[in-house]
Amino acid sequence: MKRIQEAIKQLQAGGLIIVVDDDDREAEGDLVGLAQYASPETVNFMTKYARGLICAPVSEEIAERLNLKAMTSDNTDPHGTAFTISVDHRTSTTGISAFERAKTIRELGNPDSQAGDFLRPGHMFPLVGREGGVLKRRGHTEASLDLAYLAGTSQAAYICEILNDDGSMARKERLYQLAKEWNLPLIEVDELARYMAFQDSPKVQLPSELGDFELRLFEDETGKEHLLLSKGDISSEQDLLVRLHSECLTGDIFGSHRCDCGEQLSAAMAKIEDEGRGAILYLRQEGRGIGLKNKLRAYQLQEEGLDTYDANLALGFEADARDYQIAADILDFLGIDSIKLMTNNPEKLSQLEDKGITITERIPLIMAEHSENQAYFQTKKDKFHHLLEA
């Protein structure tokens, strides 16, 4: 998330950044700038060093206002790239110089521009971005317009594919090298999608039996809804008291004695209430990531003699399929980079640290055993290596 924020600052200063798309898509990188800041210098840099086709992504609203019609009625591009008829600004002579192309780009992003301000055809190629941005289409067009939105400018940008010296497409490893050589920020569409998913995160006050909290929803790029339950001002808190709690309907709602999840959730809330500041990230990954239906199937296998570890394997899943990238992203988005983590699970420690979160202290969260979950506790200790010291 910090890379996104650094990239936005670079764009707002009139500079360029590199945006890399997904490996399973085009797997290429584009230089990206904001239309209203386009300059002869940045356009010339694109032509000299990137060497691809310079295009100008615009929103649907701008395309309609400027009467930018589709280049063809039968678009057979593999990724549905929405080219419009090419244009030059009416002040252009040839339209191809870096100076005149920069002018055309700026005027495409000018909210006062009208359709009659542009000659057709020309040397600049507008692209119409899809409504919803990278959460709907993970292309450079949508990525550049999402960045324009985040930067607070008009919904217009300019982009250019990056080629190697021999004319082949530059791929990820080379793109990271070029970012260092050119001293430019680099981001990936995947991380931008995660960042955009967080932009609409409603929050409400939540008074409860265990204290008064704030509840905030964070949606990931797949549409799954995760929750942040917090108390106090956590935005600039270092060594924040945190619990990562994976959803457990049977334990959290029905108080199941097959696990200790509900009790851990209540204990974490109570600890945060006592401290006066802290957060619980409630992650929607039921049944160690296999979902509620498969968790109940795993329970059936446990009733036939398997333990909680082997039951997941017997169903064809990993013993623990949870991933804590979303938790690290939320913490990063909130500016929290060091925490005190309430957990007995070493996997949470290692995953968060691998994702750049510093854990200054592990706080055990050990619940009393019930007759129904003694084997569950033993399996957590023996096979999942949970730190269940007395």
Side-chain angles (χ1 to χ4, degrees), residues 301-318:
L301 293 176
Q302 290 170 42
E303 291 173 357
E304 296 171 8
L306 294 184
D307 61 32
T308 182
Y309 184 100
D310 290 331
N312 278 22
L313 296 180
L315 290 171
F317 300 105
E318 298 177 46

Side-chain angles (χ1 to χ4, degrees), residues 17-29:
I17 68 169
I18 297 175
V19 177
V20 183
D21 74 354
D22 300 335
D23 290 338
D24 59 357
R25 196 175 179 277
E26 292 179 319
E28 65 182 35

Side-chain angles (χ1 to χ4, degrees), residues 180-299:
K180 290 182 179 180
E181 291 177 17
W182 296 340
N183 193 28
L184 296 180
L186 180 150
I187 65 170
E188 298 187 22
V189 170
D190 183 62
E191 63 185 318
L192 178 60
R194 297 198 301 270
Y195 192 89
M196 292 304 299
F198 290 171
Q199 295 308 303
D200 181 21
S201 54
K203 57 184 176 181
V204 298
Q205 299 304 308
L206 187 72
S208 77
E209 293 182 357
L210 294 172
D212 294 338
F213 298 87
E214 182 178 87
L215 186 66
R216 185 172 181 180
L217 184 144
F218 286 90
E219 189 174 5
D220 65 26
E221 68 271 25
T222 69
K224 188 173 289 187
E225 298 168 335
H226 307 272
L227 295 166
L228 172 73
L229 187 72
S230 65
K231 188 174 185 69
D233 181 9
I234 65 172
S235 59
S236 59
E237 178 72 9
Q238 296 298 307
D239 301 336
L240 183 70
L241 184 62
V242 172
R243 162 79 179 162
L244 306 189
H245 189 90
S246 296
E247 178 183 31
C248 175
L249 182 139
T250 51
D252 299 339
I253 303 300
F254 299 125
S256 170
H257 282 182
R258 301 188 72 132
C259 64
D260 59 345
C261 301
E263 293 159 304
Q264 285 189 315
L265 179 59
S266 296
M269 291 175 68
K271 283 181 181 290
I272 290 172
E273 175 66 17
D274 289 342
E275 182 145 324
R277 184 178 286 111
I280 296 171
L281 287 164
Y282 194 84
L283 309 176
R284 308 303 291 275
Q285 40 189 8
E286 177 78 57
R288 296 198 183 97
I290 67 174
L292 181 59
K293 183 177 182 179
N294 287 313
K295 180 174 116 171
L296 296 184
R297 285 175 170 165
Y299 278 173

Side-chain angles (χ1 to χ4, degrees), residues 8 21 106 112 115 124 148 170 207 226 237 330 333 349 357 384:
I8 292 168
D21 74 354
R106 287 196 305 274
D112 296 325
M124 185 49 56
H226 307 272
E237 178 72 9
I330 293 172
F333 181 79
L349 301 172
I357 304 298
F384 290 104

